[in-house]
Amino acid sequence: MTDTIERIKCLIIGSGPAGYTAAIYAARADMHPVLYTGMEPGGQLTTTTEVDNFPGYPDGIDGPAMMIDMQRQAERFGTKVRIGMVTEVEFSKEPGGIHKACVDNATWVEAETVIISTGATAKYLGLPSEQRLRGGGVSACAVCDGFFYKNQEVAIVGGGDTAAEEATYLANICKKVTMLVRGDEMRASKAMQHRVTSTKNIDLRYNTQVDEVLGEQVVEGLQMVNNKSGEKETIEITGLFIAIGHKPNTDIFKGQLDMDSMGYLVTEGKSTKTNLPGVFASGDVQDKEYRQAVTAAGTGCMAALDAERYLSTIEKTEEKEVTAN
């Protein structure tokens, strides 16, 4: 007796706001989506204690709770949510072709359409104290979490455009922002550097790195070290923001899908279409600009609609071919 490979109409890889929103729309369109959660079910929001800027939650909501809500909504319409990680893919290059995906290095499935929502992983410093206090004052998104530190003293690590932008954003709502730049100059554009240096409540520290994040349950302070002199200094802060970049989770798609120099998937125009027919990308895996839950959800919706239209086009083409024969 031979094993049969499961055929899926719509395969969704990833379970953040993009993946679950895509699942909701795909399920309502009778595409019977199957979603594999990946290593981090719920995505980056599961590491956020409170989400205060997603529409529909006037009192805010706990990040993991919000993702459970999204999962339940997707399942209510018939989405099959499965714990597992897609570890290998073989995409077809032909319109109407069947795509293949291997789950947990063991089981292969086939899909008529694939929606990639694998997200991007924020880069952290790797300090044990930093990892321990993630969600307790250590954050990789100032726009997401900065509001909770209004009129407080915080620190931010990084020297690029994103760090400069987030530092000036924090300076508008926080009492003081200490900015730690590892080198002797910022990597940010001259315009962004000027914004930082002209903002009075940003204390810019060159050649400075984090030595230790202080606090047991929440961030209470920061021990910094000058990487030239070796001199250490401790400051009191309530929040630490890491802005040293993100890594898109696209390794398994290399060689098959078009990516930019940073590894983000490239989509056509305002659509979620990749360079291969029937394969779509949504959320942070193709968005290095905004990286918000609400924008990820929006592109998840777009991906499902694009997939539905693609299937409709394929079906019409096949009908014409049958009629012609």
Side-chain angles (χ1 to χ4, degrees):
M1 189 172 177
T2 59
D3 293 331
T4 56
I5 298 178
E6 181 183 14
R7 174 72 62 86
I8 298 168
K9 202 167 192 178
C10 179
L11 170 66
I12 300 173
I13 308 174
S15 57
Y20 280 133
T21 304
I24 291 167
Y25 275 80
R28 284 169 58 86
D30 292 331
M31 293 168 66
H32 311 292
V34 173
L35 181 151
Y36 282 96
T37 61
M39 287 183 64
E40 190 176 39
Q44 291 187 66
L45 279 186
T46 57
T47 64
T48 303
T49 53
E50 190 169 353
V51 179
D52 222 27
N53 55 3
F54 197 92
Y57 295 98
D59 300 317
I61 185 171
D62 179 72
M66 176 180 163
M67 297 320 301
I68 290 173
D69 283 348
M70 282 194 170
Q71 178 179 339
R72 287 174 176 169
Q73 188 173 3
E75 290 175 326
R76 181 163 69 91
F77 295 113
T79 300
K80 293 181 180 178
V81 177
R82 298 175 180 172
I83 302 297
M85 182 175 180
V86 173
T87 50
E88 185 181 348
V89 293
E90 293 179 7
F91 291 141
S92 170
K93 297 180 181 180
E94 302 299 323
I98 300 302
H99 308 290
K100 297 180 180 179
C102 183
V103 181
D104 295 328
N105 295 308
T107 306
W108 285 89
V109 295
E110 297 180 341
E112 296 175 38
T113 60
V114 178
I115 296 176
I116 299 168
S117 306
T118 49
T121 302
K123 296 178 181 178
Y124 284 88
L125 303 172
L127 297 172
S129 57
E130 169 207 45
Q131 295 302 307
R132 188 184 75 249
L133 291 168
R134 282 177 60 179
V138 174
S139 169
C141 183
V143 176
C144 309
D145 301 327
F147 176 80
F148 301 112
Y149 303 91
K150 191 174 183 180
N151 297 322
Q152 299 176 42
E153 296 191 10
V154 301
I156 185 166
V157 180
D161 279 339
T162 298
E165 187 173 345
E166 294 200 342
T168 52
Y169 169 82
L170 289 168
N172 287 327
I173 56 178
C174 297
K175 183 179 179 181
K176 180 182 177 181
V177 179
T178 300
M179 186 173 185
L180 282 61
V181 179
R182 182 175 57 181
D184 53 13
E185 63 180 7
M186 295 177 65
R187 294 179 290 102
S189 63
K190 294 297 182 182
M192 292 305 296
Q193 290 186 45
H194 179 69
R195 283 179 60 181
V196 170
T197 56
S198 62
T199 303
K200 293 182 179 180
N201 61 334
I202 295 180
D203 180 12
L204 185 57
R205 305 288 191 98
Y206 292 111
N207 300 117
T208 304
Q209 295 175 245
V210 176
D211 187 57
E212 195 77 24
V213 187
L214 307 177
E216 290 300 321
Q217 302 299 321
V218 296
V219 172
E220 297 174 359
L222 188 69
Q223 183 169 283
M224 308 177 294
V225 60
N226 185 293
N227 55 32
K228 282 194 171 182
S229 67
E231 183 180 350
K232 295 184 179 182
E233 181 183 351
T234 300
I235 60 173
E236 292 184 2
I237 59 168
T238 54
L240 174 64
F241 296 89
I242 311 299
I244 57 175
H246 288 72
K247 182 185 183 302
N249 301 319
T250 57
D251 286 352
I252 64 169
F253 310 119
K254 287 180 179 177
Q256 298 188 64
L257 297 180
D258 288 346
M259 304 178 187
D260 67 11
S261 59
M262 298 174 67
Y264 287 88
L265 296 182
V266 175
T267 51
E268 296 179 10
K270 294 182 179 180
S271 77
T272 61
K273 300 175 184 176
T274 68
N275 58 297
L276 294 182
V279 181
F280 309 89
S282 64
D284 289 8
V285 75
Q286 53 87 55
D287 172 24
K288 59 185 175 185
E289 192 72 31
Y290 301 103
R291 294 196 295 265
Q292 299 298 304
V294 68
T295 52
T299 57
C301 162
M302 292 164 60
L305 295 176
D306 284 342
E308 181 186 5
R309 291 165 184 166
Y310 166 80
L311 286 176
S312 178
T313 300
I314 295 300
E315 289 170 1
K316 289 178 180 178
T317 301
E318 292 174 348
E319 288 174 3
K320 286 182 180 179
E321 291 176 351
V322 171
T323 303
N325 293 331

